[in-house]
Amino acid sequence: SVLPHLVTMKANTALAFTLAGVSLWILQREQPSQSTRRIGQACAVVVVLVGMLTLSEYGFGWDLGLDQLLFKEPSGAAETSHPGRMAPATALNFLLIGCALLLLNTNSGIAPAQYMVLSAIVVAFIALIGYIYEVKSFYSLSVYTSMAVHAALTFLVLCFGLLATHPTSRLMSIFTSENAGGAMARHLLPFAILTPVILGWLRVNGQDAGLYDTGLGTAIFTVALINIFVFFIGHTARSLSESDEQRRQAEKELAQFTRTL
């Protein structure tokens, strides 16, 4: 665990992360051999089974003996409903990621796989926000095991790695293209994600410290968010305008050079 009072990453979770990483490493290699490709697919299948069987344990009240198979966790562990059992959200993410790893090996499966990965990113990001804002319901369901904070972070790294395997696909080309739209997306995306998180954290902690009430905190948050986004949009628009002007100047010079030939 990151801190003694927080939930631990379970052994099955660590194993599934390792297998998913191996499968991803094989997937991004150029022209892997048939045997190597089968190893990657087998790793992905195990990740799917880990997620699916764990969800079955929660859904049907089963105990398949998977939780304590690799490591015997003592009872009474922090935020753990069953010793050694990963969180339902963690199992769901492994099911999504395992299926995505299998689909990414096929041309027709790239788009569905990327939407599965995006779903896993949403689950992991909600859990991470829960830890930042100390909202337990964001990373834990009722009395079930919670998703570990380092599991949420590892999911985000793994998911972005999966998306990067096909940077020219229809979904990813929005951010990787060299046109003005791609440049704007790359400039604004980090700020669109981080700015509300940071401002929200400052607002919550300021309100908890008694610096202002809910109404004033909401007003400060809204005004600050608007001003920051206006600044970054203006900065990005100016950069794009300068790039467009340079492109037009280059085209004009090329046209003049062509006429002189």
Side-chain angles (χ1 to χ4, degrees):
S1 61
V2 176
L3 295 173
H5 68 279
L6 295 180
V7 64
T8 58
M9 180 186 288
K10 310 307 179 187
N12 288 351
T13 302
L15 173 64
F17 273 132
T18 303
L19 294 175
V22 171
S23 183
L24 174 58
W25 175 69
I26 292 173
L27 178 66
Q28 58 83 36
R29 296 180 63 186
E30 292 185 3
Q31 298 180 343
S33 64
Q34 189 66 23
S35 59
T36 303
R37 184 181 295 275
R38 287 177 180 174
I39 292 173
Q41 292 173 341
C43 290
V45 169
V46 174
V47 173
V48 171
L49 288 175
V50 168
M52 184 172 60
L53 293 176
T54 302
L55 288 175
S56 298
E57 287 183 315
Y58 279 115
F60 298 102
W62 296 342
D63 185 359
L64 302 176
L66 300 175
D67 308 327
Q68 302 280 60
L69 186 62
L70 299 176
F71 180 80
K72 300 293 184 182
E73 184 177 51
S75 59
E79 300 183 24
T80 302
S81 60
H82 301 79
R85 184 175 298 180
M86 67 179 69
T90 303
L92 174 62
N93 267 12
F94 280 132
L95 178 59
L96 291 170
I97 288 173
C99 291
L101 284 165
L102 294 173
L103 288 172
L104 283 172
N105 283 294
T106 62
N107 292 329
S108 60
I110 293 176
Q114 289 184 334
Y115 283 110
M116 289 181 182
V117 172
L118 288 177
S119 299
I121 288 176
V122 171
V123 173
F125 193 68
I126 289 175
L128 187 60
I129 293 296
Y131 279 105
I132 294 173
Y133 290 171
E134 298 182 358
V135 180
K136 187 176 180 180
S137 59
F138 276 25
Y139 57 85
S140 179
L141 294 175
S142 186
V143 296
Y144 299 130
T145 301
S146 304
M147 179 186 287
V149 61
H150 41 322
L153 289 169
T154 308
F155 273 128
L156 292 177
V157 174
L158 179 62
C159 288
F160 284 121
L162 280 163
L163 292 176
T165 58
H166 292 81
T168 59
S169 64
R170 183 175 180 180
L171 176 63
M172 290 302 295
S173 64
I174 299 172
F175 304 98
T176 60
S177 63
E178 295 300 325
N179 57 29
M184 176 172 282
R186 288 191 296 274
H187 276 85
L188 293 182
L189 184 62
F191 299 108
I193 295 174
L194 295 177
T195 301
V197 173
I198 295 172
L199 289 179
W201 181 83
L202 291 173
R203 179 210 162 182
V204 169
N205 282 270
Q207 187 172 321
D208 290 343
L211 299 179
Y212 41 75
D213 57 18
T214 303
L216 180 58
T218 303
I220 293 173
F221 173 82
T222 303
V223 172
L225 193 62
I226 290 172
N227 280 277
I228 289 173
F229 270 102
V230 168
F231 169 78
F232 284 121
I233 290 172
H235 175 73
T236 302
R238 185 176 63 180
S239 299
L240 292 175
S241 297
E242 292 175 355
S243 299
D244 189 57
E245 184 64 30
Q246 292 173 0
R247 179 184 60 81
R248 291 184 180 183
Q249 184 64 30
E251 290 176 350
K252 183 178 179 181
E253 293 176 358
L254 180 61
Q256 291 175 351
F257 176 76
T258 303
R259 284 196 296 267
T260 60
L261 294 179

